Amino acid sequence: MTGPAILRVALDTPLRRLFDYLPASGDGHAPRPGARVRVPFGRQRLIGVIHSHADRSELPRDKLKPIFEVLDAEPVIDARVLELLEFASGYYHHAPGEVIAAALPKLAREGAASRAVTERWFASEAGTAALAANGLARAPKQRELLAAVSVADGVAAEILSERFADWRTPMRALVARGFATSAEFVDAPGIPEQDLVRNAGPALSPEQAAAVVAIDAAATRFVPFLLYGITGSGKTEVYLHATEHALRRGQRALVLVPEIGLTPQLVGRFRDRFTVPVAVLHSGLTDSERLAAWRQCVSGEARIVLGTRSAVFAPATDLGLVIVDEEHDSSFKQQESGFRYSARDLAIFRAQRAGVPIVLGSATPSLETLQNVAAGRFTQLALPRRAGQALPPRAAVIDLREHAARQGISTPAVEAMQRHLADDGQVLVYINRRGYSPTLACTACGWIAPCRDCDARMTVHLAASRLRCHHCGADAPLPEHCPQCGYEVRHVGQGTERVEETLAGLFPEVPIARLDRDVVRKRGDLESVVSRIASGEARILVGTQMVTKGHDFPNVTLVVVLNADQGLFSTDFRAPERVAQTVIQVAGRAGRGAKPGEVLIQTEYPDHPLLKALLAEGYEGFARTALAEREAAGWPPFAHIVALRASATELPTAVNFLRDARKLARRSPDVKLLGPAPAAMAKRAARFHAQVLVEARERAPLHRLLGDWLPKVDAIKAPRDLRWSLDVDPLELF
């Protein structure tokens, strides 16, 4: 079937397809790909994005419906980003409409204008005459409002909201009488100051300068760089200089960070350095704030776009540089639900298609990235020295088999804290477990407080007098006695809350701060804790992994890792890598200023090969050994894995679905299917989880199998309570 252009529209539905429509009746031209349209969909009116044009459809032309309206005169998703989204939909085998929806803020998906507009109110000629004739005497609110808008340029709605409470009601009465009218004006982008640089930064070290020169030399082509710098080596300064060069070429920079907590610090560094607008995108913003930042990108006003993983889809044209800070961080992978993607990997694809360099920065690079360097696909830029005169900290282990510990803190650790505090240093105590204690147990019958909805124990939160599950969020009162036998219960193990209590008893005169997700609950909480440490008000900081996320505390001279053994014996092949990264990152908080730093690692396994390798050879030595083990075992990055997961209210339902799905997979000598098998924590959030792993040495046969297999899995008539998903390149397998 041929004829005028057919619009292929991506709609936010789980269906793995596009939908064909005709242009609106009487519309002389078809909207361009990347523009939003409102369309009929069954009995609904949905907003979608034009994906492409076609000259024929599988449906007869008389069965196609016209779109209702075009929302954008110009595309809000440019061709390069649309190409990125199409690649992501194919690579992650996810519905194209849901993938494209991920590139739009919520209010844009609901139809908000793509450009910022100002609503202004004016008095009409009739309204001006009524005022002159002293009319509206019996409606003083309407008269006052009409007088306010009777100026030549009118008055913006925001100003009316500041001056008058509930002004919309009397304004509607004025409009009905023909006394007032309104208009919307598109806001013009602001004009930046002439000089790009507001404040010059510190002088670069020779290694930093060499890195900036290398990045700048690749300005017109795709070159992936690994900026491998030890903690405190000045990676951010390299980012700033490379960004300046891109800005001076008239281009834009895209900067990705793994966590919201890092965003304010890095935004502050970029805004202090440059005069150009910086658009910030992350999930901690309100819907209106996200829309405003997105509009800055669409209009071209933003010259620097900085945000967490979803910012990889930001509509930033004329890209000259892409930066991924802390590239190893698992937060770059969307793992929970919906569209599961790696923002780091998509950033690499985006830089490749744009023909620009990308800088992946880390003190503990992922093994995948290190293998890309070893294979010659990435170029490594090394920052082996700390900025200024700071030296790497001294590191040692404390053997818990030989030293007594009080509530998890050994005597040598306490003595070291006393010594550093006496020398006017600050102390960071790391334990990757929040709450008061991970277990509540009965001293008589052995009862352990279980989560009703998970195969997990409830965590004690003593200050709140609650038991909470950190997997599903279940919450219950903290019992004083065993609910089974009535005997006394005790708290087993330590969390940040208990460690803070113990340290307060050991150092009653020393101010202590805590940094974990129980403390950081609303906007400003993180900045408050960080400022207490940075200012010196708090002398001891107790925290979880949140303290490893790029914070710079120059006066911290001692780091104590309380429980280094978590993850050493995990069945997950990635666990040793995560342990090594965490230890190196948290150790890097020590000695970043003029004073030397010290790191003490408490462990019951001081002879464990991982810890020995970290102490003797650093992260590089560990990575060499780990990559050799991965290659021998056939694990990523020497193989590629996909997880087909299912969950249901009963375990057999999930397993049986996966078993039926596996039977539909085409056999291939290049692809292995493993399972189905229950997850290590089979029951989570009142649902049972299982998975099938699909493994191949090469990507091509793996994706060919998935392309043939998934439509068949879609067609399985599954029970109503069953949910299934596909995770390509999963970070967690068991």
Side-chain angles (χ1 to χ4, degrees):
M1 185 198 80
T2 60
I6 291 168
L7 308 179
R8 310 216 70 202
V9 179
L11 296 175
D12 189 4
T13 75
L15 300 174
R16 302 173 196 272
R17 52 164 296 192
L18 301 169
F19 299 87
D20 293 350
Y21 289 89
L22 297 173
S25 302
D27 195 340
H29 65 279
R32 291 162 56 190
R36 292 171 301 157
V37 290
R38 197 183 306 273
V39 301
F41 189 75
R43 297 182 179 180
Q44 305 176 73
R45 297 165 63 96
L46 300 183
I47 291 175
V49 174
I50 300 293
H51 173 274
S52 54
H53 298 163
D55 58 6
R56 60 179 63 244
S57 172
E58 294 178 359
L59 294 175
R61 191 175 186 84
D62 59 2
K63 296 292 185 182
L64 298 180
K65 297 179 180 179
I67 63 173
F68 287 132
E69 62 176 321
V70 180
L71 300 184
D72 306 304
E74 297 292 328
V76 295
I77 301 178
D78 65 75
R80 284 273 166 76
V81 175
L82 207 54
E83 186 179 18
L84 170 71
L85 294 164
E86 188 165 9
F87 167 80
S89 175
Y91 183 81
Y92 293 105
H93 298 270
H94 200 81
E98 291 186 340
V99 173
I100 290 176
L104 298 173
K106 179 176 180 288
L107 295 180
R109 295 197 299 271
E110 295 174 352
S114 62
R115 299 294 178 99
V117 294
T118 297
E119 178 190 19
R120 299 189 74 84
W121 286 87
F122 306 85
S124 66
E125 289 185 12
T128 303
L131 278 176
N134 200 26
L136 299 172
R138 295 184 179 181
K141 288 185 178 180
Q142 293 180 36
R143 178 178 177 78
E144 186 182 8
L145 191 58
L146 186 60
V149 300
S150 63
V151 294
D153 295 332
V155 180
E158 298 99 34
I159 295 176
L160 292 176
S161 296
E162 293 173 3
R163 291 176 56 183
F164 303 99
D166 190 27
W167 61 273
R168 295 274 181 186
T169 300
M171 184 65 81
R172 280 194 291 270
L174 290 172
V175 171
R177 300 172 76 166
F179 290 169
T181 186
S182 67
E184 289 186 341
F185 298 88
V186 176
D187 294 348
I191 300 174
E193 299 175 37
Q194 290 299 311
D195 194 357
L196 287 170
V197 178
R198 179 176 286 116
N199 297 306
L204 297 178
S205 69
E207 294 87 356
Q208 288 173 314
V212 172
V213 168
I215 297 166
D216 198 40
T220 58
R221 55 199 170 93
F222 168 65
V223 180
F225 292 100
L226 167 61
L227 185 62
Y228 191 171
I230 64 171
T231 52
S233 58
K235 292 185 288 296
T236 303
E237 203 57 44
V238 173
Y239 301 157
L240 291 165
H241 277 77
T243 298
E244 179 185 342
H245 292 175
L247 294 175
R248 292 198 184 282
R249 292 191 296 269
Q251 297 175 303
R252 291 176 171 78
L254 172 63
V255 184
L256 300 183
V257 295
E259 296 248 5
I260 295 171
L262 288 180
T263 311
Q265 301 168 63
L266 209 55
V267 169
R269 294 285 296 273
F270 274 84
R271 285 182 171 157
D272 286 346
R273 180 66 57 88
F274 301 115
T275 60
V276 300
V278 179
V280 181
L281 291 163
H282 59 72
S283 61
L285 302 174
T286 65
D287 289 340
S288 297
E289 289 170 333
R290 284 179 67 84
L291 179 67
W294 177 76
R295 283 170 167 169
Q296 279 187 294
C297 299
V298 171
S299 69
E301 178 184 1
R303 298 287 304 281
I304 299 169
V305 181
L306 193 155
T308 50
R309 59 176 176 250
S310 63
V312 73
F313 304 119
T317 57
D318 299 321
L319 268 186
L321 177 68
V322 179
I323 295 168
V324 182
D325 189 31
E326 306 292 353
E327 66 85 27
H328 67 278
D329 200 292
S330 61
S331 297
F332 282 122
K333 179 71 189 286
Q334 167 67 31
Q335 301 182 79
E336 291 76 30
S337 60
F339 172 34
R340 293 167 171 82
Y341 65 93
S342 166
R344 178 199 63 191
D345 295 349
L346 291 181
I348 294 170
F349 179 86
R350 184 167 187 181
Q352 181 187 46
R353 303 307 293 173
V356 301
I358 180 170
V359 181
L360 308 173
S362 180
T364 55
S366 66
L367 295 186
E368 285 83 358
T369 296
L370 289 175
Q371 178 57 24
N372 277 324
V373 170
R377 290 186 287 268
F378 290 6
T379 299
Q380 181 169 309
L381 305 172
L383 299 180
R385 296 184 297 138
R386 285 189 159 186
Q389 304 300 313
L391 297 173
R394 304 184 309 273
V397 298
I398 297 174
D399 189 346
L400 291 178
R401 298 171 304 179
E402 298 181 0
H403 298 283
R406 174 183 172 184
Q407 301 296 352
I409 305 175
S410 65
T411 301
V414 173
E415 292 171 348
M417 291 181 207
Q418 292 170 334
R419 187 173 70 253
H420 282 263
L421 290 170
D423 290 341
D424 203 30
Q426 289 175 301
V427 174
L428 190 159
V429 180
Y430 170 82
I431 178 169
N432 196 28
R433 187 180 280 153
R434 59 190 175 96
Y436 187 82
S437 68
T439 305
L440 184 71
C442 176
T443 56
C445 71
W447 171 85
I448 294 175
C451 175
R452 179 186 59 195
D453 296 327
C454 299
D455 291 335
R457 298 168 180 172
M458 299 281 269
T459 298
V460 176
H461 288 257
L462 192 61
S465 193
R466 309 294 294 179
L467 287 172
R468 291 174 181 151
C469 177
H470 291 175
H471 298 280
C472 72
D475 183 279
L478 181 65
E480 295 182 4
H481 303 283
C482 175
Q484 284 193 170
C485 68
Y487 276 74
E488 183 180 346
V489 291
R490 63 188 180 95
H491 308 124
V492 181
Q494 292 79 36
T496 48
E497 188 182 331
R498 192 172 198 173
V499 170
E500 181 185 26
E501 177 187 87
T502 302
L503 290 171
L506 292 168
F507 304 99
E509 304 300 322
V510 178
I512 300 173
R514 194 171 100 229
L515 186 57
D516 59 31
R517 301 219 177 271
D518 295 322
V519 172
V520 179
R521 290 190 170 275
K522 61 182 185 298
R523 184 178 298 192
D525 287 346
L526 175 65
E527 291 82 355
S528 175
V529 175
V530 170
S531 67
R532 287 188 64 207
I533 293 293
S535 67
E537 176 193 342
R539 301 287 308 287
I540 298 175
L541 173 63
V542 180
T544 59
Q545 275 193 322
M546 293 183 76
V547 304
T548 71
K549 304 292 185 181
H551 303 296
D552 188 9
F553 303 128
N555 206 38
V556 169
T557 55
L558 173 66
V559 167
V560 180
V561 180
L562 291 189
N563 190 355
D565 300 337
Q566 279 184 296
L568 289 181
F569 303 100
S570 172
T571 55
D572 187 343
F573 75 94
R574 293 188 191 275
E577 179 183 4
R578 286 194 287 266
V579 171
Q581 288 167 341
T582 299
V583 170
I584 294 294
Q585 290 283 345
V586 73
R589 303 309 112 194
R592 294 166 74 101
K595 297 179 181 179
E598 182 179 5
V599 179
L600 298 176
I601 303 170
Q602 293 189 166
T603 176
E604 293 184 2
Y605 305 95
D607 296 323
H608 191 283
L610 187 154
L611 293 178
K612 292 181 75 172
L614 282 178
L615 290 173
E617 304 176 74
Y619 187 75
E620 286 188 58
F622 156 77
R624 280 194 300 270
T625 302
L627 278 170
E629 291 174 350
R630 295 266 190 99
E631 186 172 21
W635 287 114
F638 303 98
H640 306 283
I641 292 176
V642 170
L644 179 68
R645 297 194 172 104
S647 71
T649 52
E650 299 291 339
L651 183 58
T653 304
V655 172
N656 290 338
F657 171 83
L658 292 173
R659 188 174 291 122
D660 292 342
R662 177 173 175 166
K663 292 176 184 175
L664 298 173
R666 173 177 48 82
R667 292 193 176 186
S668 168
D670 301 315
V671 182
K672 289 193 299 185
L673 277 75
L674 308 173
M681 184 184 292
K683 186 181 181 184
R684 188 170 66 253
R687 295 181 67 82
F688 290 89
H689 302 258
Q691 65 185 9
V692 167
L693 294 185
V694 189
E695 180 187 332
R697 286 282 180 173
E698 303 295 333
R699 281 197 177 96
L702 178 65
H703 286 279
R704 279 197 300 270
L705 182 141
L706 292 174
D708 174 74
W709 186 31
L710 289 178
K712 300 174 184 176
V713 178
D714 276 328
I716 296 175
K717 190 173 182 180
R720 301 187 72 166
D721 70 324
L722 185 127
R723 302 172 196 156
W724 68 273
S725 64
L726 191 77
D727 193 354
V728 178
D729 303 330
L731 292 187
E732 297 180 359
L733 295 186
F734 303 103

